[in-house]
Amino acid sequence: MTTNDILQVGLYLVVLLLLVKPLGNYMALVFAEAPNRVTRFGGRIERVLYRLCGIRADEEMGWKRYALAMLLFNVLGVLVVYALQRVQQWLPLNPQHFGAVSPDSAMNTAISFVTNTNWQGYAGESTMSYLTQMTGLAVQNFLSAATGIAVLVAVVRGFSRRSAVGIGNFWVDLTRSTLYVLLPLSLLIAMLLVSQGVVQNFKPYVDVPVLQTSTYAQPVTDAAGNPVKDAAGNPETKPAQLTTQTLPMGPAASQVAIKMLGTNGGGFFNANSAHPYENPTPFSNFIEMLAIFLIPGALCVMFGRMVGDRRQGWAILATMLLIFIPLTIGLVAAEQAGNPALHGLAVDAHASALQAGGNMEGKETRFGIAASSLFAAITTAASCGAVNAMHDSLTPLGGLIPMWLIQLGEVIFGGVGSGLYGMLAFAVVGVFIAGLMVGRTPEYLGKKIEAHEMKMASLAVLLPCALVVIGTAVAVMLPAGVAGIANPGAHGFSEILYAVSSASNNNGSAFGGLSANTPFWNVLLGICMFLARFPLAIAMLAMAGSLAAKRHVPESAGTLPTHTPLFITLLASVVIVVGALTFLPALALGPIAEFLMSGH
Amino acid sequence: MKSIVRPALTLLLLLTVITGVIYPLVATGLAQLVFPQQANGSLIERDGKPVGSVRIGQSFTDPKYFWGRPSVTSPQPDNGINSGGSNLGPSNPALTDAVKQRIAALRAADPGNTAPVPVDLVTASGSGLDPEISPAAAQYQIARVARVRGLSEAQVAALVARATKGRQLGVLGEPRVNVLQLNLALDASQTHGT
C-alpha cells in the first residue's frame, strides 16, 4: 500500500464519522413520538398526504398489521415497475424508442429494485426509457430505502417501548423517511454530482464526430434485427467505418444520488459508477462513497438515542468498523500488488508519482487503486452494489473480500435500515451465546431474550446463508446455470457464487462476466432477492412485536453490558464465525483456489 | 384489509409523483440553471459544433495521437451506448493474451522503445469510456507522437502538462491526462501554424 492509499481511506473514515452524528440526531427527531421542531416543519405536507390516502397518522399498528402494510406496499411496487417496463414503448420520455423489456427480465428487475438489491441483468442506456428510469426504478430507490428505514425504526421501538401493543405506523414511518431524510439529501447530492459532470437532462442521445476515424467489425443483422451467423455458428461481421460516437444522456444525477444514498446501487448506465457520466471525478467518487455509508452509519446513532443510551449505538458502529477496516486494507493491498499473471510481461505496474500501478484491468484511471478498492469494499459491506470498477477483474484475494463482505449478511453497515436490523439479530444471538456461558437468561437493552426472539433472530441470520448455499448448488448442477459462466476454471465458479450471494443478501453487484439475463438466472435470482428481503424483515418485525410487549428488566450485576469492548469483540466474532463457517468451503473452491493456482 | 389497500395504492401513487416526477424535474431545472455545461454532457465545441465530450474517451490507434485506455465495448471500442469492461478474471489466459497484443501494437507503432509499458495503457478500463490515462502512460508516448508529427519532445511534453490534472483536493483519486483534450490540442498546435 502507498501513503496515498492510506490517506484516502483515512480521510474517508474521518469525514464519515463527522457526518453520522448530526444526521443520526436529526433522524431521531424525525421518528420521535412527541412532535418537535422537525416534524412540525413538514407536518403540513404530511397531513395533506395522509388525508388524501385515508391514513390516520396516530393509529398504532401491531407487528402483523405493520408487516402486512409493508408487504402489500412493496408487492404493489413490483407490479408497477414490471408494468412500466412492459409498456414503455407506448409511453412518453422515450427518445431512443426502446421496446418492451422481456417478461423474465422485467420481473427480475422489478423485484430487484423493490427489494433494494438493484441487481441488473440489463444495460440501462440501451434498455430503459427515461420514464421507466425516473418513475419506476428511481422511485423504488426511494421507497425500498424508506421501507428499510421504517422496518428498522419499528424494530428499535420493540426495544425502546415497554408493555406496548404497537410498534408504530408503517405509512407514517415510510412517508417521513422519504420526505425528511431521503429527498432533501438526494437533491443536495444530485447537485454536487452535476457540478462534477454527471448528466441531468431529458435530451436525446448526442452524436459527435470522432477525431480519428477507424474501421471496426460490425455484426450483420437480418431484416428482423437478429444477428446473422455463419456456417460455424459464429456471428457474421462486415467492416464498418467509425465516424461518430453516440453520447448517452438523461436524468442521471437525480437517480445516481438516491442510488447511493439508499444503498440501492442500480446504475443509470451499464458501467454503473465506473461510467464517466455517472461518476466523473475523484470528488464525485468521494461523495458517492460517503452517500453509501451515511445513512447506515447515522442509523446507529439514531438507534442509540431511541433506546436511551447513545453508547449502544456507538458500540454497534464500532463493531462494523472493526470488521470493515481490516478487510478494506486487505482489498487495497491485494489490488495494489497487481495481477501475477502479468509479471513476466513488459508491463510496469509499480506505483509511482506518475501512475497508480497495480491491477488496473476493469478500473478507471481517475480512481486508480485506492479509490476503486475502497469503493469496492464500501459497496459490498453496505448492500449497495454500485461499482466503480469491474469486480470480475479484481485479483483473487481482492475479489474474495467483497464477496465475503456480502456473505457476512450485509450487516457491516449493510442496507439502509436492513443492515442495522440484521446486525441487531446478530446482537441478540451474541447476548444469547454469552448467556449460555454463564447460565443466565440473556437480556439486550433491558428486554429478556427468550425462545421466540431467538427463533426470529436465528431465522434472520440463517435465511440468507441458506439461500446462498442452496442457490449456488442449484446453479452449478444445472446446465442453464453453468451456461452463464464467462471465465474458465475456479473463477467461473466464483462468478456463480458471487451472483447468488449478491442476490441472496440484496447487494446487487456482480462478477459481471456472468451472462445472467437469461430466464434461468432471472428466475433464480428473483426468488433469492424476494426471499432474502421480505421473510427476513417480517421475522424482525415479529421479534419487535414480542419485545415491545415485554416489561423492562432493570440492569443487575449479572447483566452483560452491551456497550463495552468485550461486547464489541463478541458481536464481531459472532458475525465472522457464522460467515466463515458457512462460506469457507465454497470460497475455497472459488477465489482461494484461484489464488493458490496463480503463482504466488 | 381494505383499510390497508387504499393507503397502499394512494401513497404509492403520491410518492411516485413526488420522488419520480417532481424531484427529477426540480433537479433538472436546478442543474440546467447552475451547471448547464456539466448537466448536458461536458461537450467540447469547436467552431460551435460539438467534437466530443471531456468526460467520454474516444478510440485512438494512429501513432500521431496519444492512445487512451484500451476499451472492449462492442462492437466498436469506446461505444457510448454500450459501456462496460472486459470482465476477464485475473487468471484468464484471454487477459494475458490481450495484454500481450496491446504491448505488441504499442511497440509496432514505436519501434525501438523497449521501456516497460505503464499498466493502464494495456489493461481495459471499467467503463470502456475512460477519457484519461496516467501521466506515466502519456510520458511513454511523448517520443513517438513528437517523432511522427515532427515536433520536439519538449513541445509535446508542454501540451501533456497542460492536459494533466493532479489529485483532486491534493488527495483524492489519481493524477491523470485527458486524452481527447490533449489530441485536440496537438492538432490545433499544428493547424494554427507552428
Side-chain angles (χ1 to χ4, degrees), chain A residues 65 125 283 361 365 487 594, chain B residues 3 83 86 91-92 130 168:
Chain A
R65 193 169 170 78
E125 65 266 50
F283 182 67
E361 180 71 24
T365 311
N487 283 286
E594 190 184 14
Chain B
S3 63
S83 59
S86 71
S91 61
N92 194 334
D130 193 340
Q168 222 168 349

Side-chain angles (χ1 to χ4, degrees), chain A residues 402-567:
Chain A
M403 197 177 334
W404 199 48
L405 275 168
I406 292 173
Q407 291 165 342
L408 289 181
E410 292 301 10
V411 295
I412 312 304
F413 290 87
V416 164
S418 61
L420 184 50
Y421 65 67
M423 189 55 120
L424 292 177
F426 273 102
V428 166
V429 173
V431 293
F432 175 74
I433 291 171
L436 283 182
M437 292 180 197
V438 293
R440 267 184 61 100
T441 307
E443 302 156 16
Y444 186 49
L445 306 170
K447 291 292 173 89
K448 272 205 162 66
I449 304 299
E450 292 167 302
H452 181 258
E453 288 77 38
M454 271 315 293
K455 279 182 201 157
M456 294 303 127
S458 307
L459 193 65
V461 168
L462 294 178
L463 180 72
C465 297
L467 287 173
V468 174
V469 175
I470 297 168
T472 305
V474 169
V476 293
M477 281 191 294
L478 295 179
V482 180
I485 290 177
N487 283 286
H491 197 90
F493 175 72
S494 298
E495 287 181 338
I496 288 184
L497 180 62
Y498 195 106
V500 183
S501 301
S502 174
S504 305
N505 288 283
N506 296 135
N507 181 274
S509 66
F511 272 15
L514 187 77
S515 303
N517 198 0
T518 62
F520 169 80
W521 278 107
N522 279 330
V523 170
L524 176 73
L525 298 180
I527 293 170
C528 288
M529 291 187 284
F530 192 88
L531 291 181
R533 177 74 168 178
F534 296 112
L536 200 157
I538 292 169
M540 291 308 290
L541 287 172
M543 186 199 299
S546 92
L547 284 173
K550 293 185 189 218
R551 283 183 299 121
H552 184 78
V553 193
E555 242 175 74
S556 70
T559 306
L560 172 74
T562 51
H563 61 268
T564 57
L566 177 70
F567 182 74

Side-chain angles (χ1 to χ4, degrees), chain A residues 404 407-408 573-587:
Chain A
W404 199 48
Q407 291 165 342
L408 289 181
S573 308
V574 173
V575 174
I576 294 282
V577 166
V578 170
L581 290 180
T582 315
F583 296 110
L584 264 182
L587 291 169

Side-chain angles (χ1 to χ4, degrees), chain A residues 270-397:
Chain A
N270 188 44
N272 209 300
S273 280
H275 198 294
Y277 274 164
E278 193 152 336
N279 191 2
T281 67
F283 182 67
S284 69
N285 191 62
F286 193 74
I287 297 289
E288 291 188 10
M289 292 194 300
L290 274 179
I292 300 177
F293 271 1
L294 185 60
I295 294 181
L299 285 172
C300 294
V301 176
M302 180 198 84
F303 160 72
R305 283 191 76 113
M306 284 180 74
V307 298
D309 181 358
R310 294 181 201 184
R311 296 171 306 177
Q312 302 293 342
W314 291 112
I316 298 278
L317 190 61
T319 308
M320 293 173 173
L321 288 171
L322 186 64
I323 297 174
F324 174 75
I325 293 173
L327 288 176
T328 301
I329 292 171
L331 179 47
V332 178
E335 291 307 298
Q336 190 69 67
N339 181 358
L342 306 184
H343 281 175
L345 308 179
V347 174
D348 177 9
H350 293 98
S352 73
L354 296 179
Q355 68 165 8
N359 174 31
M360 284 299 286
E361 180 71 24
K363 293 194 180 66
E364 298 284 294
T365 311
R366 59 194 179 282
F367 306 139
I369 299 298
S372 299
S373 306
L374 179 58
F375 195 110
I378 292 167
T379 195
T380 50
S383 77
C384 181
V387 296
N388 78 348
M390 298 301 124
H391 289 193
D392 215 347
S393 297
L394 294 172
T395 60
L397 293 186

